[in-house]
Amino acid sequence: LSIRPDILSPRAMVELQQLCDKVPSFPSDLAFATICDELGIASVSEAFSEITPEPVAAASLGQVYRATLRESGDIVAVKVQRLE
């Protein structure tokens, strides 16, 4: 909604955007557990040779980690959706 000028007033858009931008990250252990559940692995180290311990970005829908794929060595962004 914060990017829909056809629906909201400019003031409402600014307020909603601030809410989206000022969302704290959720604990990384919960994010890593979600990654493991989704990939069917016991530890993130099975898929990634490196992953940032804290998210590099967080927003209202989820957060992002920087990681290196174990098999190829490619650097990737791993987005984890909020559970709430």
Side-chain angles (χ1 to χ4, degrees):
L1 282 175
S2 64
I3 58 170
R4 295 291 307 269
D6 57 319
I7 296 175
L8 298 173
S9 69
R11 182 175 180 200
M13 288 175 54
V14 168
E15 291 297 321
L16 279 175
Q17 190 62 46
Q18 288 177 349
L19 287 174
C20 292
D21 290 344
K22 295 182 180 177
V23 177
S25 62
F26 55 92
S28 289
D29 59 336
L30 293 177
F32 293 166
T34 301
I35 293 168
C36 290
D37 288 345
E38 290 292 321
L39 297 178
I41 56 178
S43 169
V44 293
S45 63
E46 290 181 43
F48 309 106
S49 58
E50 293 180 33
I51 188 165
T52 54
E54 298 299 322
V56 295
S60 59
L61 295 177
Q63 55 199 40
V64 179
Y65 294 86
R66 182 175 188 226
T68 304
L69 293 176
R70 180 163 295 289
E71 287 189 15
S72 67
D74 291 342
I75 296 173
V76 297
V78 180
K79 185 175 181 181
V80 181
Q81 194 169 9
R82 284 187 183 274
L83 300 176
E84 299 99 46

